[in-house]
Amino acid sequence: MTAPVRGRRRGRPDTRAAILEAARARFAEAGFTGTTIRAVAGDAGVDPALVHHYFGAKDDLFVAALELPVDPRAVLAEQVVGPVEGAGERLLRALIGVWDDPAVRPALLAMVRRLMEPGGDALFRGGFLPVVLVPLGEALGVDAPERRMQLVASQVIGVIVLRYVVRADAIVAMDADALVAAYAPVLDGFLAGPL
Amino acid sequence: MTAPVRGRRRGRPDTRAAILEAARARFAEAGFTGTTIRAVAGDAGVDPALVHHYFGAKDDLFVAALELPVDPRAVLAEQVVGPVEGAGERLLRALIGVWDDPAVRPALLAMVRRLMEPGGDALFRGGFLPVVLVPLGEALGVDAPERRMQLVASQVIGVIVLRYVVRADAIVAMDADALVAAYAPVLDGFLAGPL
DNA sequence: GACCGAATTCATCATGTGTTGAATAATGCG
DNA sequence: CGCATTATTCAACACATGATGAATTCGGTC
């Protein structure tokens, strides 16, 4: 049995990546304040000090863990932008594609959890809304993008919470087509219906 | 009965109530783990030990703060149950009525925040779903109440998050009629539309 | 083989947490 | 008044947390 070995490890294990992965999982599961550096270090099989060595403070770890393998704006520009007709379905399919990718979901979950913690409103108003939602609305060419995209968000976030945070079985059980059938009409209504 | 109790009676101003109110506000704002007993005591202008004196551990404080001035099932039974036609509007108006009551909102917010924290899925599956959602669906006489009510919940929770947690301005600005106009058709579709 | 830098751990600090028990002040009853 | 009872605070404990700096070990380079 290996006694606790001090000093550098043999071979070239990518410890940094292990820490990042553990941090993503923890942040996704427990949010920012609910995640402890010691727990992350434990999951990665590593001393807490090493976490600080690679990423500085806890805040820095968080933004590092948030670095998405995907740029949401690129995904939206490629898969969603286009005519308003069918925009709801395209949005849903892009959303599901990204969220069901296990490499990306933890980071997204962490962001959603952060949205609910104190200061989350600022994150929404200062980040999510102007950076993602409104530009998307404008790219789709809808009128009153602020209002309509907030309506859209109110449905999308509900789906995300029930499917990925709270894991309500009926919503989890739906595949992409079922989700589109249920929600695309709603989103289309928010995008193009009467206000 | 009990012998005549001698001695000091109750706090001068009702300190107990002050603590409860402070606790409700903090739990609503920051969730369970994000709320510290010292902060509650500080808000109530009181020593932390007094909080323990009145309510025992932090868990007990939380359940005491959660005690709603309203029984959600009673509200639903009175204002929502009825024919499926118009159920969406009735549900929305009841919801808004309860959530916009400043005496109740903090406790509700605290519950929603708890739903997002670790273990929130259990709270949903073991509490909210079987105690509130499914009975309501059955009382409305819809088919497949589990599925339909989870769809309803996915929209309702989205509205709650955007309006009360994240306070998205466009959603906050809507009055009851505007909310009904926007969301009642969606809910009716989930309750009675095709699956 | 010597040496430098990177990887890793250890011991430790300062702080904030929930909680406890004793101590003091106020109140009401006989 | 004096006593019982409650309200309230003080001081402190035990623990977890984020963070730091020194120490140790390894990998690669001259």
Side-chain angles (χ1 to χ4, degrees):
Chain A
M1 48 188 304
T2 59
V5 177
R6 197 161 162 170
R8 183 167 187 163
R9 286 182 184 174
R10 223 172 284 248
R12 243 157 297 177
D14 198 349
T15 322
R16 195 192 142 99
I19 294 176
L20 247 192
E21 192 181 351
R24 284 214 180 89
R26 282 281 178 180
F27 282 132
E29 194 66 27
F32 179 79
T33 50
T35 293
T36 124
I37 292 213
R38 284 172 161 84
V40 171
D43 289 355
V46 139
D47 190 276
L50 195 58
V51 178
H52 281 96
H53 173 62
Y54 280 122
F55 321 84
K58 192 183 177 185
D59 295 345
D60 305 328
L61 212 213
F62 187 71
V63 315
L66 274 197
E67 223 157 86
L68 300 179
V70 199
D71 180 357
R73 289 165 300 184
V75 174
L76 293 175
E78 286 173 21
Q79 306 180 24
V80 183
V81 169
V84 188
E85 295 79 34
E89 169 163 3
R90 296 200 306 278
L91 211 192
L92 277 169
R93 293 204 184 273
L95 193 88
I96 299 165
V98 173
W99 273 84
D100 282 358
D101 179 351
V104 192
R105 192 193 297 186
L108 294 174
L109 254 181
M111 292 199 83
V112 169
R113 282 234 152 81
R114 190 84 180 81
L115 223 56
M116 309 294 175
E117 294 183 12
D121 50 346
L123 208 177
F124 179 84
R125 274 191 288 274
F128 200 56
L129 225 207
V131 173
V132 176
L133 278 184
V134 172
L136 175 60
E138 288 169 346
L140 288 174
V142 304
D143 59 309
E146 284 252 354
R147 275 188 73 184
R148 306 198 97 113
M149 293 313 288
Q150 290 189 33
L151 289 171
V152 168
S154 76
Q155 175 63 88
V156 168
I157 290 192
V159 175
I160 290 175
V161 167
L162 252 65
R163 186 176 167 91
Y164 300 107
V165 178
V166 137
R167 289 189 280 273
D169 50 6
I171 310 292
V172 172
M174 297 166 82
D175 61 4
D177 291 333
L179 288 168
V180 166
Y183 292 112
V186 177
L187 298 185
D188 288 336
F190 287 154
L191 286 173
L195 278 181
Chain B
M1 295 289 290
T2 57
V5 276
R6 309 188 299 189
R8 182 170 186 167
R9 278 305 131 93
R10 60 173 174 324
R12 272 223 284 271
D14 198 346
T15 324
R16 197 193 141 97
I19 295 176
L20 247 193
E21 191 181 352
R24 284 216 180 86
R26 283 282 177 178
F27 282 133
E29 193 66 28
F32 179 78
T33 51
T35 293
T36 126
I37 292 214
R38 284 174 160 86
V40 171
D43 290 355
V46 136
D47 189 276
L50 196 58
V51 178
H52 281 91
H53 174 61
Y54 279 122
F55 319 85
K58 192 184 177 185
D59 295 346
D60 305 329
L61 212 212
F62 187 70
V63 315
L66 272 199
E67 225 157 86
L68 300 179
V70 200
D71 180 357
R73 290 165 301 183
V75 174
L76 293 176
E78 286 172 22
Q79 305 180 23
V80 183
V81 170
V84 188
E85 296 78 35
E89 169 162 3
R90 296 200 306 277
L91 211 191
L92 277 169
R93 292 204 185 274
L95 194 90
I96 299 165
V98 172
W99 272 86
D100 282 359
D101 179 350
V104 191
R105 192 193 299 187
L108 293 174
L109 254 181
M111 291 199 84
V112 169
R113 282 234 151 83
R114 191 84 180 81
L115 224 55
M116 309 293 175
E117 294 183 12
D121 50 346
L123 209 175
F124 179 83
R125 274 191 289 274
F128 200 56
L129 225 207
V131 173
V132 177
L133 278 185
V134 172
L136 175 60
E138 288 169 347
L140 288 174
V142 304
D143 60 308
E146 283 252 354
R147 277 187 72 183
R148 305 198 100 110
M149 293 313 289
Q150 290 189 34
L151 290 170
V152 167
S154 76
Q155 175 64 86
V156 167
I157 289 192
V159 175
I160 289 175
V161 167
L162 252 66
R163 184 175 168 93
Y164 300 107
V165 177
V166 137
R167 288 189 280 274
D169 50 7
I171 310 292
V172 172
M174 297 166 81
D175 61 5
D177 292 332
L179 288 168
V180 166
Y183 292 112
V186 177
L187 298 186
D188 288 336
F190 286 155
L191 286 174
L195 278 182

